C-alpha cells in the first residue's frame, strides 16, 4: 500500500480542528524538546487529549479505519506471520490474513519508516492498515505471543534426551557443564510465559501419564498439560539446584528461593516442594521486585479510608492489624504503610517469613526455625533495639501475640497480619489465641480487612441481568435498590483472553477502636464488641464494599457473591 501522509503537521492539524489550543501545543512542544518523546505521546501525557481521541483523529485524517480489536478474535497463527520482536518494536499486529493481503493494526500509523519495514517483511502480501489503541496492541501481544509452542518443543526435546540416558544418570547429567541446557531453556520459557501473563504463582504437578503446569492469573488457576511426564524429575531437580535445596532428598518437603531476570523484570521466586504420588510437586510464588512498592493511595482503598489509615499508622504507639486469607494482598498493604513511615528519624524493624521486598533503612529479619530464630525470639530482641515501629509478618502463636501487644502499649507502633475472615473477628481471634482481653483492649487501635476481586475487562463490558436468586442475596447487601441497578460483566475479548476479567482490585473494611469496643474487649464480652463494631458510623463491611464496586461496574455479581461466601455472611 502507499504510505498514508498527513497534509499538515500533527500539532497544527489538532489546533486547526479545535481539539487542542495553541497554548497546549506550545506547552507540549516545550516538553517534547526536554523528553525527546513523540508529540502525540507528550499531548496524552499532559492530559490535553486521550489516546483514543488522538488515534481516531489520525485515522480520520489518513482515511484508514479505527478498530477496536477487542471485538476481533485474532488467531495466534495469524499474529505470528509477523515475528514478536518486530511486532513489539513497531507496535504493529496482524489482525486478519486475507490471502493476498493482511489487515495490520498500528498504534502509530504516521510512522512511515515502520510501515516501509513492515511492507518488506510481509511481501508479497499487501498491507491494509488500521489504527488500534496501543494499550490493546500490547495486551494482544501478551495473549497471542505465548510461549506455548516453545514450551512444548523444549519438553519434547528434553524427553528425547532423557530417554537416551538412564534415570540413574539424571543427576550427574544435569550437574555436568552444559548438560542442563534444554531443561534450562524449558524453565526459562515457563517463567517468561508466566511473567508475560502477570501470573502470581506457577504450579508444576507430575501425574502418572502427564505433567500439569498451572499459572495463577488474577487469582484463578489456568493449566497446560504436557504429555512428556518423564521430564518432571529433570525440571524439579534443576529448580532445586537454583534454590540451593538438597537434590538427594525427595521424601520430605523443602522450601527455598532464588532470583531471576526475566524480560527486564527482577523476579524473586519463593519455591516449595512436596512429595506426591508420582514425584514432587513444586509451587513457586513470583514477586516482581522491579515493579516497585505501591503507596497507600495505589492499593485501591477509598480516599476517605486512606486518610483514616494514615492517621492510625502515624500514631506513636498501638497495634494496627491487616487481615485476610492467603493471597488477599495483606503484605502489599503492609509494605505500602511501611514505605510511607520509612523516615530517617524512625527506627523500623521487621520480622518476616520470608522477607519479600528489600527496603532501605529498615532492619528486616528473616525467621529461621531451624536455628530457633522464631517470631517471638526475634520480637523480644527487637524490643531491645530501641525501635519506633515494628512490623511482624504474622501473629502465629500466643507468645508472639502477647509480645506484640505488650510492645504496642509500651511506646511502639506495631503492624502485623492475621489470617481471619473480617475485621470484627480479628480482635476476638487475638483473645482466642490466649491473649488477655485487657491487653487486646489497651493495645489494638485499628484493623484493616481486605480481599481481592477480579475487575471487569475494560474493553468488553456489557449489561448483565442478575438472576432472581442472585438478587435475593444482593438485596440483603444493598437493599431494594439492588433490583434497579444495571450490573455489568465482561463479554470476553482478545484483551482478557475471553475470561471477561482483567486485573484485580482490593476490597477493604476498616474498623477503628472506640471506647465502647475497647471496654467490651477488656471484659471479654464478644457480643458487646461485635454490636459496637457494627454500629460504628464509619464502618462499612467487606460485603457492602464489594457490592458498591458491582454497582459502579468495577466487578461482577459473581465476584461479589464469591467474596460473600468466604466471609460466611450468608
Amino acid at each position: 500500500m502507499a504510505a498514508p501522509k498527513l497534509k499538515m503537521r500533527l500539532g497544527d492539524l489538532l489546533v486547526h480542528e479545535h481539539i487542542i489550543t495553541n497554548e497546549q501545543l506550545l506547552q507540549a512542544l516545550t516538553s517534547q524538546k526536554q523528553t525527546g518523546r513523540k508529540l502525540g505521546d507528550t499531548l496524552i501525557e499532559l492530559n490535553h487529549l486521550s489516546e483514543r481521541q488522538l488515534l481516531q483523529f489520525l485515522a480520520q485524517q489518513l482515511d484508514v479505519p479505527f478498530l477496536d480489536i477487542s471485538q476481533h478474535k485474532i488467531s495466534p497463527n495469524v499474529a505470528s506471520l509477523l515475528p514478536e520482536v518486530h511486532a513489539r518494536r513497531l507496535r504493529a499486529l496482524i489482525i486478519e490474513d486475507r490471502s493476498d493481503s493482511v489487515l495490520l493494526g498500528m498504534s502509530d500509523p504516521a510512522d512511515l519508516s515502520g510501515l516501509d519495514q513492515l511492507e518488506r517483511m510481509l511481501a508479497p502480501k499487501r498491507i491494509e492498515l488500521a489504527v488500534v489503541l496501543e494499550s490493546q496492541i500490547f495486551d494482544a501481544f501478551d495473549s497471542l505471543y505465548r510461549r506455548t509452542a516453545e514450551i512444548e518443543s523444549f519438553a519434547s526435546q528434553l524427553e528425547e534426551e532423557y530417554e537416551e540416558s538412564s534415570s540413574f544418570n539424571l543427576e550427574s547429567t544435569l550437574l555436568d557443564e552444559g548438560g542442563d541446557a534444554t531443561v534450562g531453556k524449558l524453565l526459562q520459557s515457563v517463567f517468561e510465559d508466566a511473567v508475560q501473563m502477570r501470573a502470581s504463582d506457577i504450579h508444576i504437578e507430575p501425574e502418572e501419564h502427564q505433567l500439569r503446569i498451572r499459572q495463577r492469573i488474577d487469582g484463578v488457576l489456568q493449566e497446560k498439560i504436557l504429555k512428556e511426564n518423564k521430564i518432571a524429575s529433570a525440571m524439579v531437580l534443576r529448580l532445586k539446584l537454583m534454590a540451593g535445596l538438597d537434590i538427594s532428598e525427595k521424601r520430605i518437603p523443602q522450601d527455598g528461593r532464588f532470583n531471576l531476570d526475566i524480560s527486564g523484570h527482577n523476579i524473586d521466586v519463593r519455591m516449595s516442594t512436596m512429595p506426591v504420588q508420582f514425584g514432587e510437586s513444586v509451587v513457586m510464588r513470583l514477586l516482581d521486585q522491579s515493579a516497585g512498592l505501591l503507596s497507600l493511595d495505589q492499593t485501591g482503598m477509598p480516599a476517605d479510608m486512606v486518610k483514616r489509615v494514615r492517621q492510625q499508622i502515624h500514631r506513636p504507639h498501638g497495634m494496627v492489624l491487616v487481615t485476610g486469607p492467603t493471597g488477599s494482598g495483606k503484605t502489599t498493604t503492609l509494605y505500602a504503610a511501611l514505605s510511607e513511615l520509612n523516615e530517617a528519624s524512625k527506627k523500623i524493624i521487621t520480622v518476616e517469613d520470608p522477607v519479600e521486598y528489600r527496603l532501605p533503612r529498615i532492619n528486616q529479619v528473616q525467621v529461621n526455625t531451624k536455628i530457633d530464630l522464631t517470631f517471638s525470639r526475634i520480637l523480644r530482641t527487637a524490643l531491645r533495639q530501641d525501635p519506633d515501629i515494628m512490623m511482624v509478618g504474622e501473629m502465629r502463636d500466643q507468645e508472639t501475640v502477647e509480645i506484640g501487644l505488650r510492645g504496642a502499649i509500651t511506646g511502639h507502633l506495631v503492624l502485623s497480619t492475621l489470617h481471619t475472615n473480617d475485621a470484627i473477628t480479628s480482635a476476638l481471634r487475638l483473645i482466642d489465641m490466649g491473649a488477655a482481653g485487657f491487653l487486646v483492649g489497651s493495645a489494638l487501635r485499628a484493623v484493616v480487612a481486605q480481599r481481592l476481586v477480579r475487575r471487569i475487562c475494560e474493553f468488553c463490558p456489557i449489561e448483565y441481568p442478575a438472576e432472581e436468586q442472585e438478587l435475593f442475596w444482593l438485596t440483603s447487601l444493598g437493599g431494594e435498590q439492588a433490583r434497579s441497578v444495571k450490573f455489568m460483566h465482561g463479554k470476553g475479548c482478545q484483551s482478557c483472553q475471553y475470561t471477561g476479567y482483567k486485573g484485580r482490585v482490593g476490597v477493604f473494611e476498616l474498623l477503628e477502636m472506640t471506647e465502647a469496643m475497647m471496654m467490651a474487649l477488656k471484659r471479654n464480652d464478644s457480643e458487646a464488641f461485635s454490636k459496637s463494631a457494627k454500629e460504628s458510623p464509619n464502618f462499612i463491611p467487606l460485603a457492602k464494599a464489594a457490592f458498591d464496586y458491582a454497582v459502579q461496574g468495577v466487578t461482577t455479581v459473581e465476584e461479589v457473591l464469591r467474596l460473600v461466601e468466604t466471609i460466611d455472611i450468608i
Side-chain angles (χ1 to χ4, degrees):
M1 67 170 287
K5 295 183 180 178
L6 293 170
K7 297 170 186 174
M8 296 171 60
R9 289 185 301 179
L10 175 61
D12 294 332
L13 269 172
L14 290 167
V15 172
H16 182 265
E17 296 294 328
H18 305 294
I19 295 173
I20 62 171
T21 64
N22 198 53
E23 291 74 19
Q24 289 174 329
L25 174 60
L26 292 173
Q27 182 188 0
L29 289 170
T30 302
S31 176
Q32 185 190 22
K33 287 178 183 176
Q34 297 171 347
T35 63
R37 300 188 67 190
K38 292 181 179 180
L39 179 62
D41 293 337
T42 305
L43 287 165
I44 293 168
E45 195 174 89
L46 293 171
N47 293 320
H48 293 332
L49 79 172
S50 68
E51 181 191 4
R52 184 177 287 271
Q53 278 180 298
L54 175 64
L55 292 183
Q56 285 177 333
F57 173 76
L58 276 174
Q60 182 182 349
Q61 293 297 316
L62 298 171
D63 195 24
V64 295
F66 175 82
L67 289 185
D68 179 357
I69 60 172
S70 67
Q71 306 306 315
H72 288 70
K73 191 157 188 176
I74 305 171
S75 163
N77 294 332
V78 169
S80 64
L81 292 173
L82 180 64
E84 181 182 3
V85 62
H86 300 305
R88 289 187 182 274
R89 179 171 59 86
L90 299 170
R91 293 182 292 180
L93 177 71
I94 297 179
I95 300 168
E96 290 180 24
D97 183 2
R98 297 175 172 174
S99 185
D100 61 341
S101 66
V102 292
L103 177 60
L104 181 82
M106 287 188 75
S107 62
D108 184 6
D111 181 3
L112 302 184
S113 171
L115 266 173
D116 287 340
Q117 293 178 55
L118 287 163
E119 283 187 329
R120 289 195 295 272
M121 287 178 204
L122 297 172
K125 289 181 181 287
R126 291 182 299 104
I127 291 177
E128 296 178 35
L129 188 63
V131 181
V132 178
L133 290 172
E134 185 174 285
S135 54
Q136 286 192 340
I137 279 190
F138 279 106
D139 284 341
F141 287 159
D142 289 341
S143 61
L144 292 169
Y145 291 107
R146 296 288 300 269
R147 300 293 190 273
T148 304
E150 201 174 271
I151 291 169
E152 289 174 349
S153 173
F154 285 134
S156 177
Q157 184 181 336
L158 185 61
E159 186 175 54
E160 288 176 12
E161 289 179 13
Y162 290 110
E163 279 180 348
E164 293 171 5
S165 62
S166 66
S167 58
F168 177 80
N169 294 321
L170 178 61
E171 291 179 15
S172 59
T173 304
L174 278 180
L175 291 169
D176 285 343
E177 187 175 351
D180 60 341
T182 306
V183 71
K185 289 175 184 175
L186 171 58
L187 288 170
Q188 179 78 8
S189 295
V190 169
F191 283 118
E192 285 177 353
D193 189 59
V195 170
Q196 188 168 300
M197 298 308 296
R198 297 176 291 277
S200 60
D201 301 84
I202 301 174
H203 297 232
I204 297 175
E205 302 167 342
E207 297 181 4
E208 186 175 8
H209 301 297
Q210 61 191 19
L211 173 62
R212 195 182 302 272
I213 298 179
R214 302 202 274 181
Q215 298 175 349
R216 190 174 293 281
I217 301 170
D218 292 339
V220 178
L221 285 171
Q222 298 180 10
E223 71 178 19
K224 170 159 193 55
I225 306 294
L226 296 178
K227 65 180 185 300
E228 296 85 0
N229 62 315
K230 295 177 184 176
I231 68 172
S233 56
M235 293 177 71
V236 174
L237 185 56
R238 177 62 184 150
L239 288 166
K240 281 184 172 182
L241 288 169
M242 294 166 71
L245 302 181
D246 184 353
I247 61 173
S248 63
E249 183 55 77
K250 302 174 184 177
R251 300 165 300 169
I252 59 173
Q254 297 187 65
D255 296 305
R257 68 189 301 169
F258 55 91
N259 276 84
L260 290 172
D261 185 28
I262 304 289
S263 305
H265 296 260
N266 179 21
I267 305 297
D268 186 32
V269 182
R270 284 164 41 191
M271 172 176 154
S272 170
T273 71
M274 181 177 69
V276 292
Q277 188 175 5
F278 297 104
E280 289 178 275
S281 168
V282 175
V283 175
M284 293 174 284
R285 169 66 57 89
L286 309 182
L287 297 168
D288 190 348
Q289 301 285 340
S290 55
L293 295 175
L294 298 181
S295 67
L296 283 173
D297 296 303
Q298 295 170 320
T299 58
M301 279 187 199
D304 64 317
M305 188 181 292
V306 170
K307 183 179 178 181
R308 288 155 56 206
V309 169
R310 282 201 172 107
Q311 290 174 346
Q312 295 295 340
I313 65 173
H314 282 93
R315 285 173 175 265
H317 56 82
M319 177 178 284
V320 177
L321 289 176
V322 181
T323 73
T326 301
S328 59
K330 300 187 299 295
T331 303
T332 300
T333 302
L334 269 186
Y335 273 104
L338 277 181
S339 59
E340 188 160 310
L341 294 168
N342 189 6
E343 300 172 359
S345 60
K346 293 176 180 173
K347 170 88 169 186
I348 303 176
I349 300 175
T350 73
V351 188
E352 303 174 66
D353 185 23
V355 174
E356 295 197 6
Y357 295 95
R358 281 81 172 179
L359 298 173
R361 200 189 289 119
I362 294 180
N363 296 269
Q364 296 174 270
V365 187
Q366 167 80 52
V367 168
N368 188 345
T369 54
K370 292 178 182 176
I371 57 172
D372 197 32
L373 196 62
T374 60
F375 275 103
S376 54
R377 185 175 182 182
I378 298 169
L379 205 48
R380 277 195 297 270
T381 304
L383 285 168
R384 296 194 290 270
Q385 290 277 311
D386 189 28
D388 297 293
I389 300 164
M390 293 189 298
M391 192 270 272
V392 186
E394 184 184 344
M395 290 292 177
R396 290 190 177 179
D397 52 54
Q398 180 181 352
E399 189 176 10
T400 305
V401 170
E402 289 187 346
I403 297 170
L405 289 169
R406 292 187 186 282
I409 62 175
T410 54
H412 308 91
L413 177 67
V414 179
L415 308 177
S416 189
T417 71
L418 199 61
H419 282 233
T420 51
N421 282 340
D422 56 33
I424 293 175
T425 56
S426 299
L428 303 175
R429 173 71 179 137
L430 294 177
I431 296 173
D432 289 342
M433 291 174 74
F438 76 88
L439 203 55
V440 178
S442 302
L444 192 61
R445 293 290 174 264
V447 183
V448 177
Q450 65 182 81
R451 293 289 192 284
L452 294 174
V453 296
R454 290 181 290 173
R455 282 183 181 272
I456 296 173
C457 173
E458 62 178 305
F459 296 115
C460 61
I462 59 171
E463 194 173 319
Y464 168 73
E467 297 175 3
E468 191 58 38
Q469 187 177 1
E470 293 172 331
L471 285 172
F472 173 77
W473 299 118
L474 291 171
T475 52
S476 69
L477 300 175
E480 284 303 314
Q481 69 146 333
R483 294 187 177 275
S484 60
V485 172
K486 292 182 179 179
F487 295 105
M488 307 294 287
H489 75 165
K491 179 182 177 183
C493 67
Q494 187 72 48
S495 180
C496 61
Q497 297 184 74
Y498 302 95
T499 62
Y501 297 100
K502 185 147 191 203
R504 291 189 289 177
V505 62
V507 180
F508 299 87
E509 69 179 13
L510 172 61
L511 180 64
E512 297 171 286
M513 295 297 116
T514 63
E515 187 67 31
M517 290 184 222
M518 288 189 280
M519 293 306 297
L521 287 173
K522 289 177 182 179
R523 297 194 306 270
N524 284 353
D525 189 340
S526 59
E527 191 174 329
F529 173 77
S530 297
K531 185 173 183 295
S532 297
K534 289 172 183 175
E535 292 174 352
S536 179
N538 292 324
F539 178 69
I540 299 175
L542 275 171
K544 179 64 168 64
F547 172 78
D548 291 342
Y549 272 143
V551 171
Q552 296 161 23
V554 175
T555 192
T556 62
V557 169
E558 177 190 10
E559 284 292 284
V560 174
L561 296 181
R562 190 168 66 89
L563 178 144
V564 167
E565 287 172 0
T566 67
I567 49 181
D568 300 326
I569 277 264
I570 296 179

